[in-house]
Amino acid sequence: WSAFVVPDFLNYLLAGGALSIVFIPIFAAYLARGEETKGWRAFSAIASFLVVALGVLTVFLWVGMPQVVELVAPGFDDAQKARLVELSRILLPAQLFHVIGGLLAAALQARDQHKEAALAPLVYNGGIIAGGLVLGGTLGAAGFAWGVLAGSFLGPFLLPWLACRKHGMRWTFGLDLKHADLRTYLARSLPIMIGFSIVVVDDWFLRREGSKLGTGAVTTLTYAKNLMKVPMGVFGLAAGVAAYPTLARLATEGKFLD
């Protein structure tokens, strides 16, 4: 659980829920006007920027993990800290698949295509379980970490990637910092990124302080918080994810009273 602190913070800092929340209306507006090509240009500008930004941050954190670990789990002994560095470095690249996959899924949801977004977490969790079953006996916790990396690629990234290709995806890689939709995306995303990052500080605090309380404390605190969030995840999140793309499209079309 402690190994997820830095990768999760990177994910929330750069994107969090802003991927779908902000990009769906941008892409849906182009679809509503019959300008899909321009929509994919907007996708290219945003996705390329995120790849470069996330790549730089990932390398920086990967190299600096031995220093960062002192902030994440000060209560761990030297052997535990070394293990934490190893696991965090395995998990860090997975965030690239989550971030770009979230953008791909948003492009699908703008079309009211939700299958891939629904299947992605199932494949992701299946990858974690498979990693533990296949590699856990020899690698221990690292087996699960490699399962996270594989599951992130297969579920959150590969599923929506293949689906977007069927819909004629046109991703031209290249930085275009002057692109109007990139600026709109960043401006609208910034408050959400900050908000999500502040929320994840709670997880960091629980795991940081839990590291000082002995073996198993981090896990106990994390499971307790996860159980608390079950009703929100089962009911609130599902309803919001399903309804938002339709509401965004109707708003774009000016159908506020239908």
Side-chain angles (χ1 to χ4, degrees):
W1 285 115
S2 294
F4 273 98
V5 170
V6 173
D8 280 351
F9 182 76
L10 176 61
N11 185 303
Y12 286 124
L13 177 65
L14 191 59
L19 287 178
S20 59
I21 293 174
V22 176
F23 186 67
I24 287 176
I26 293 174
F27 198 75
Y30 283 115
L31 293 179
R33 296 194 297 266
E35 300 174 338
E36 184 174 347
T37 300
K38 291 184 178 180
W40 286 117
R41 289 176 186 167
F43 173 91
S44 297
I46 295 169
S48 298
F49 173 83
L50 291 175
V51 167
V52 173
L54 188 58
V56 171
L57 289 172
T58 297
V59 171
F60 177 79
L61 290 172
W62 197 94
V63 173
M65 271 308 303
Q67 289 70 44
V68 176
V69 75
E70 297 293 337
L71 298 174
V72 175
F76 284 178
D77 59 33
D78 290 341
Q80 289 173 317
K81 289 178 180 177
R83 187 65 162 164
L84 181 55
V85 170
E86 175 194 356
L87 296 176
S88 296
R89 283 175 168 174
I90 297 172
L91 297 173
L92 274 170
Q95 305 316 307
L96 180 63
F97 299 129
H98 282 288
V99 169
I100 303 304
L103 202 63
L104 291 164
L108 293 172
Q109 289 176 294
R111 300 173 178 272
D112 279 336
Q113 302 290 324
H114 302 282
K115 180 176 67 176
E116 287 73 21
L119 289 176
L122 301 180
V123 175
Y124 170 63
N125 287 314
I128 299 174
I129 295 170
L133 291 175
V134 176
L135 302 175
T138 55
L139 300 181
F144 289 97
W146 285 112
V148 169
L149 186 59
S152 300
F153 171 77
L154 295 173
F157 176 76
L158 187 60
L159 282 179
W161 169 272
L162 293 175
C164 282
R165 289 191 63 182
K166 292 180 180 178
H167 287 287
M169 178 180 66
R170 305 176 188 89
W171 181 3
T172 303
F173 187 84
L175 282 179
D176 183 4
L177 300 181
K178 296 182 179 180
H179 196 286
D181 289 315
L182 173 60
R183 294 184 176 184
T184 298
Y185 175 85
L186 293 176
R188 294 178 182 177
S189 298
L190 184 59
I192 303 173
M193 293 176 184
I194 295 173
F196 271 68
S197 300
I198 292 173
V199 170
V200 83
V201 168
D202 181 37
D203 290 326
W204 171 75
F205 180 79
L206 288 177
R207 295 170 193 178
R208 172 186 167 85
E209 298 306 309
S211 72
K212 303 175 183 179
L213 301 178
T215 303
V218 171
T219 302
T220 300
L221 290 169
T222 301
Y223 281 142
K225 184 178 179 183
N226 287 347
L227 286 173
M228 179 187 70
K229 295 189 296 185
V230 168
M232 177 181 68
V234 172
F235 300 105
L237 183 60
V241 169
Y244 182 72
T246 300
L247 294 174
R249 188 185 69 254
L250 292 174
T252 301
E253 295 173 354
K255 300 179 179 178
F256 297 102
L257 300 178
D258 287 3

